[in-house]
Amino acid sequence: MSNTRLCQTTLAALPAGIAAPAYDRAGVTPGIVHLGVGAFHRAHQAVFVDDCLNRGEAGWGIVAASLRNADTRDALAPQDNLYTYCERDGRDERLRVVGSILETLVAPESPARLIERLCDPRVRIVTLTVTEKGYLANLSERRLMRDHPDLVHDLENPDAPRSIHGFLLAAIRRRRAEGAVPLTLLSCDNLPANGTVLRLLLTEFAHISDPDLADYIASAVSCPCAMVDRIVPATTGADRLAVAHGLGVADAWPVVAEPYFRWVIEDRFPHGRPGLEASGVEFVDDVEPYEHMKLRMLNGAHTAIAAIGQIAGLATVTDIYAEVRVRAFVDRYWREVASTLSPLVSGADYVAGLRTRFANPALRHRAVQIASDASQKVPQRILAPLLELRRDNRAHGAVMMALALWIRSCAARNEAGEPIIIQDPAFNGWTAPDQEFLPSEAVIERFLGFDRVFSAPCRAEPGFAAALTAAYHTIRTKGVLTAIEMAG
Ligand code: CS2
């Protein structure tokens, strides 16, 4: 019933103090198609685009697509695609209704409709948050997993694809034929050199499916790299109740986030972009220094903290980070990793902010969420700085311990003997050793054979296996909290 649910007609009756679109949504036209409409997109990009629409840039509405299931569309359609962005700093809560999403699609229901929207001549940018696994690639080698069932399917069904590569190629092919301006593809996923990687993978896919398009992509399609930063935990039932209480109407799909954000983008938009800088988004020539800082400091520490939580049976980042030994360990981890960062970025300022952000009691960011797909996160978050530190002969005991923590967190049981939940399809497809019954050396040897994480040069590095075994063995014999106290 529209009078009990957030939607266009209930907007006018929202309590004072709740921001809502000040623009005429009917006059907004699509300029962006977003692939992967999860909570992060709705708490980050969609909010800043909403700012642009509020400033009168009516040509940048978003058509958002889920590539998998219908949950988001089913929740947002009865709400005219409106939803609440709820910002919590641990003391106060601010609610804002966001109107930048004009339409939500479910790609598997109608791939043709998504291709249609991607080919709308008014659309100039495609943004993506499909997570690491959405790229269907061996990310350390920047190559497609060519035998992935979705890619095999897309090669046979170019007009009804399933993968981002299939959709993007279908759109690029048709836009070129129809003379529409080339798309700018903006990856907003936590991958190093995300735009470059997207371009490489897409070009590889073009080479095997439509070689003619490979040259066109190289010459006409811009793929700027971007660093995105904002902690957005999965929305809970309690969040929905709290938001409904504040709004006076129900919202089936609100998002909850911290106030902090950063979005740094390479300014390569040959066919235009919204004026996001007015919202504090930064445009630079080279994103790499920012991306290393964020992936290695925030995400690396997150992965280590999540592993500690999984091993010790602690549920949320705030709970885990409240433990003094964890805070001291993470400080040492940051000190080690900071020495791999470019002098162009201030690791010290970033760390000061991270301490407050990780302690935010209002976020309830669950370890199991961050630990999901860890095998696709560890290489860029932990292994890359670790190998640099070893190459340069710098202190790296805490970073090595973080790697060992991930390995221990892949065991069947935590330290209390309870089962550990592992949501990591790439890892589950590999035969993980049953750690409990193997000596530490054998566990590490088996893990080092997992080539999705450990590349050949890493395996060949003298002393690497021994140092990792020692860190892992300490966790096993002394317990996780003592092990991290001893590391670094
Ligand atoms: C987290 C990130 O789930 C995870 O892997 O580390 O989602 C993290 O919260 C964001 O990257 C923060 O910007």
Side-chain angles (χ1 to χ4, degrees):
M1 264 165 47
S2 61
N3 61 345
T4 58
R5 186 88 176 253
L6 173 66
C7 64
Q8 200 60 43
T9 51
T10 51
L11 263 190
L14 292 180
I18 297 182
Y23 49 91
D24 172 18
R25 290 183 79 221
V28 175
T29 53
I32 300 171
V33 171
H34 181 76
L35 304 181
V37 58
F40 182 76
H41 169 70
R42 293 187 300 121
H44 194 264
Q45 297 111 55
V47 173
F48 307 125
V49 170
D50 194 57
D51 287 345
C52 294
L53 300 178
N54 271 322
R55 288 191 290 265
E57 295 190 72
W60 291 109
I62 301 172
V63 173
S66 300
L67 292 172
R68 294 278 166 260
N69 60 52
D71 299 0
T72 304
R73 192 275 319 275
D74 291 350
L76 291 187
Q79 303 185 180
D80 301 316
N81 292 298
L82 293 165
Y83 65 90
T84 315
Y85 164 72
C86 170
E87 197 170 276
R88 292 186 186 151
D89 63 8
R91 283 180 303 277
D92 300 316
E93 174 174 284
R94 289 195 310 139
L95 301 181
R96 160 176 176 178
V97 174
V98 176
S100 52
I101 296 184
L102 307 179
E103 183 184 18
T104 310
L105 304 176
V106 183
E109 277 180 11
S110 177
R113 187 169 316 147
L114 175 53
I115 296 174
E116 191 73 42
R117 299 296 185 273
L118 286 163
C119 292
D120 183 328
R122 296 169 298 179
V123 167
R124 277 157 287 163
I125 301 174
V126 179
T127 51
L128 299 97
T129 49
V130 293
T131 77
E132 295 83 351
K133 65 173 176 279
Y135 290 80
L136 309 183
N138 177 328
L139 290 170
S140 32
E141 293 173 10
R142 298 182 173 184
R143 278 192 303 105
L144 286 175
M145 296 189 295
R146 291 194 185 187
D147 54 356
H148 191 286
D150 287 355
L151 291 180
V152 173
H153 169 275
D154 289 2
L155 282 175
E156 282 159 16
N157 302 277
D159 298 324
R162 288 184 186 150
S163 73
I164 55 166
H165 306 296
F167 277 109
L168 292 173
L169 220 58
I172 291 169
R173 184 184 307 115
R174 190 158 129 197
R175 286 180 76 102
R176 182 170 75 154
E178 291 172 356
V181 292
L183 293 168
T184 297
L185 309 179
L186 178 60
S187 166
C188 298
D189 281 299
N190 281 323
L191 305 177
N194 48 16
T196 308
V197 169
L198 175 60
R199 170 197 285 285
L200 279 172
L201 299 175
L202 199 57
T203 309
E204 185 186 338
F205 192 61
H207 272 297
I208 51 178
S209 64
D210 194 343
D212 191 32
L213 275 187
D215 291 342
Y216 176 76
I217 293 171
S219 62
V221 177
S222 182
C223 301
C225 294
M227 177 276 245
V228 293
D229 194 0
R230 172 167 265 169
I231 295 175
V232 187
T235 305
T236 64
D239 296 330
R240 282 191 189 88
L241 285 177
V243 167
H245 184 73
L247 283 183
V249 286
D251 177 351
W253 224 233
V255 285
V256 176
E258 59 175 348
Y260 180 94
F261 84 89
R262 203 154 178 198
W263 191 8
V264 187
I265 311 175
E266 288 174 358
D267 202 358
R268 293 191 276 115
F269 292 80
H271 305 288
R273 61 165 173 81
L276 293 160
E277 53 274 66
S279 297
V281 177
E282 296 153 80
F283 287 90
V284 299
D285 290 336
D286 178 14
V287 136
E288 190 180 84
Y290 305 91
E291 153 202 298
H292 277 184
M293 179 176 75
K294 193 272 175 162
L295 277 172
R296 296 176 177 195
M297 303 290 265
L298 185 153
N299 296 115
H302 247 177
T303 293
I305 289 171
I308 296 170
Q310 295 281 78
I311 302 166
L314 296 166
T316 69
V317 172
T318 319
D319 298 342
I320 305 160
Y321 196 61
E323 161 63 50
V324 66
R325 283 172 286 184
V326 174
R327 285 207 300 280
F329 167 72
V330 173
D331 272 347
R332 290 197 297 284
Y333 181 92
W334 282 329
R335 252 199 312 279
E336 291 177 5
V337 169
S339 72
T340 71
L341 303 180
S342 153
L344 290 174
V345 290
S346 168
D349 289 353
Y350 194 58
V351 160
L354 285 176
R355 290 197 185 104
T356 315
R357 296 170 68 192
F358 284 0
N360 185 337
L363 286 185
R364 317 278 319 142
H365 200 183
R366 289 168 57 76
V368 68
Q369 184 187 350
I370 299 168
S372 69
D373 297 328
S375 69
Q376 305 214 27
K377 298 174 175 175
V378 162
Q380 58 274 23
R381 296 180 177 197
I382 296 173
L383 212 43
L386 179 59
L387 292 175
E388 278 180 37
L389 288 167
R390 284 177 67 82
R391 182 198 63 202
D392 298 344
N393 235 336
R394 296 185 198 210
H396 58 270
V399 186
M400 184 60 89
M401 178 55 72
L403 187 59
L405 288 167
W406 169 64
I407 293 176
R408 170 63 183 88
S409 76
C410 297
R413 294 185 181 277
N414 68 16
E415 289 186 344
E418 296 148 356
I420 295 180
I421 300 167
I422 302 178
Q423 295 167 345
D424 188 345
F427 180 79
N428 292 340
W430 176 72
T431 323
D434 190 352
Q435 301 189 17
E436 265 171 274
F437 305 107
L438 285 177
S440 298
E441 291 76 12
V443 173
I444 298 307
E445 200 188 310
R446 298 269 288 275
F447 264 82
L448 287 177
F450 187 24
D451 59 9
R452 295 281 301 276
V453 174
F454 298 98
S455 57
C458 167
R459 279 194 290 272
E461 220 244 282
F464 189 89
L468 183 56
T469 305
Y472 171 79
H473 194 67
T474 314
I475 307 172
R476 255 172 88 154
T477 50
K478 307 244 185 279
V480 64
L481 292 178
T482 305
I484 59 171
E485 206 173 8
M486 292 165 65

